Amino acid sequence: MEKCSSKSGLMVSLWLVVLLLLALAPAALAQYFGRNKVQYEHFDFRVMHTDHFDIYYYPAEEEVTRDAARMAERWYARHSREMSHQFDLKKPIIFYADQPDFLQTTAIMGMLSEGTGGVTEPLKDRVVLPFTGWYRENDHVLGHELVHAFQFDIMGKGGAGLAGMQRLPLWMVEGMAEYYSLGSTDPHTAMWIRDAMLFDDLPTVKDLTTKARYFPYRYGQALYAFIDGRWGNDVIIRLFTAASKVGPDAAIDSILGVSSDTLSILWHQ
């Protein structure tokens, strides 16, 4: 689960592409001539223990890591309440002091782009991300990635969680992570929705599920905000879980009591 981030808040890549590449061709990504991951630093990792996380860091980032540890526990309290779910075991979080250090990580097989803000790796059940130098963005990316940690934990450990997530459309996965990490009101998402309305290009649920050109982070967040406002927050995790078993259309019909076409009409109105 990859989160792309910059100071402008623009996220420019999709997690599924990365996960599919890592799952299907890890050797090619790691060994293709001219594309090997260069590691030119040695990181003396330590472990900071909190109630729900084992946090890996090195001395250069110790001060900010202590702040991030408090952020992680705040997110855990919030997400566990919203999703009615608790971790059985502590989750590892690996922090890097900056983007160049993060790009050298061996925790994620394969190459990472400079725009990658963080990754939730399901097979070993860990979150890996760099600090940005901007506390607000650190908090947002951490909250986003921890939503994915909850999603994988709810779906099942390791490969089972990954398989369950791959059955879901991106708007359900990334939209949920953005909704729970940003809330229902976000000026960046509002800009996207206003632009879509002005150009008569607001997607339907079917469009979001089948057409890759509709960016799932922004539109998914907006759709979840509408669902929460009309049906309540408790239906979000029920919808998400049901969709992993029966598909999004059947889940919308059984959990919300309307068809996906009707949901689109209500949302557009």
Side-chain angles (χ1 to χ4, degrees):
M1 190 69 59
E2 179 177 340
K3 175 73 168 68
C4 292
S5 172
S6 68
K7 288 191 177 181
S8 66
L10 181 60
M11 291 154 289
V12 295
S13 68
L14 304 178
W15 67 274
L16 187 58
V17 175
V18 174
L19 285 181
L20 286 175
L21 287 173
L22 297 182
L24 297 177
L29 279 172
Q31 300 173 13
Y32 181 75
F33 180 76
R35 294 294 303 279
N36 55 306
K37 187 181 294 185
V38 178
Q39 295 157 338
Y40 49 87
E41 298 278 1
H42 172 74
F43 303 110
D44 181 20
F45 275 102
R46 319 286 175 85
V47 184
M48 185 181 299
H49 301 285
T50 69
D51 289 345
H52 300 98
F53 303 101
D54 290 327
I55 298 176
Y56 294 80
Y57 70 101
Y58 43 94
E61 54 173 354
E62 182 171 359
E63 183 176 354
V64 67
T65 300
R66 293 190 183 281
D67 293 333
R70 288 190 287 271
M71 293 177 188
E73 287 296 337
R74 285 199 300 266
W75 280 120
Y76 179 86
R78 179 175 175 178
H79 291 338
S80 63
R81 181 178 65 253
E82 291 169 329
M83 300 183 216
S84 300
H85 184 79
Q86 304 281 334
F87 293 161
D88 293 332
L89 300 171
K90 289 186 177 184
K91 302 285 185 185
I93 302 176
I94 304 173
F95 284 122
Y96 287 87
D98 51 41
Q99 194 74 10
D101 286 0
F102 172 60
L103 296 180
Q104 299 173 61
T105 184
T106 57
I108 305 298
M109 187 176 293
M111 306 297 290
L112 295 172
S113 72
E114 292 183 359
T116 302
V119 179
T120 301
E121 194 279 309
L123 298 182
K124 293 191 176 180
D125 207 18
R126 57 193 175 184
V127 171
V128 189
L129 68 156
F131 292 118
T132 65
W134 188 22
Y135 266 58
R136 180 178 179 182
E137 188 63 8
N138 290 342
D139 191 45
H140 167 221
V141 176
L142 181 57
H144 179 108
E145 294 304 329
L146 288 178
V147 172
H148 292 321
F150 271 90
Q151 290 171 334
F152 282 123
D153 203 70
I154 290 167
M155 291 293 177
K157 309 295 184 185
L162 177 58
M165 294 280 270
Q166 287 179 336
R167 288 193 290 268
L168 294 170
L170 283 172
W171 73 263
M172 296 196 84
V173 177
E174 296 295 355
M176 181 176 167
E178 285 294 86
Y179 181 68
Y180 279 141
S181 61
L182 287 174
S184 60
T185 304
D186 174 60
H188 190 199
T189 297
M191 177 183 70
W192 279 68
I193 299 302
R194 290 192 188 102
D195 186 72
M197 292 297 294
L198 286 170
F199 288 89
D200 193 24
D201 193 31
L202 189 63
T204 63
V205 174
K206 182 179 180 180
D207 290 335
L208 289 178
T209 302
T210 62
K211 297 180 181 179
R213 75 183 185 90
Y214 291 107
F215 194 47
Y217 290 78
R218 304 275 68 81
Y219 292 114
Q221 180 196 1
L223 182 51
Y224 273 119
F226 171 73
I227 291 171
D228 185 352
R230 187 177 181 95
W231 284 277
N233 180 266
D234 64 304
V235 306
I236 291 178
I237 192 62
R238 291 166 50 209
L239 179 64
F240 177 85
T241 305
S244 71
K245 299 174 182 177
V246 300
D249 287 343
I252 289 169
D253 185 68
S254 64
I255 301 299
L256 303 184
V258 298
S259 67
S260 59
D261 289 340
T262 300
L263 175 60
S264 298
I265 293 170
L266 294 171
W267 180 41
H268 288 196
Q269 289 174 345

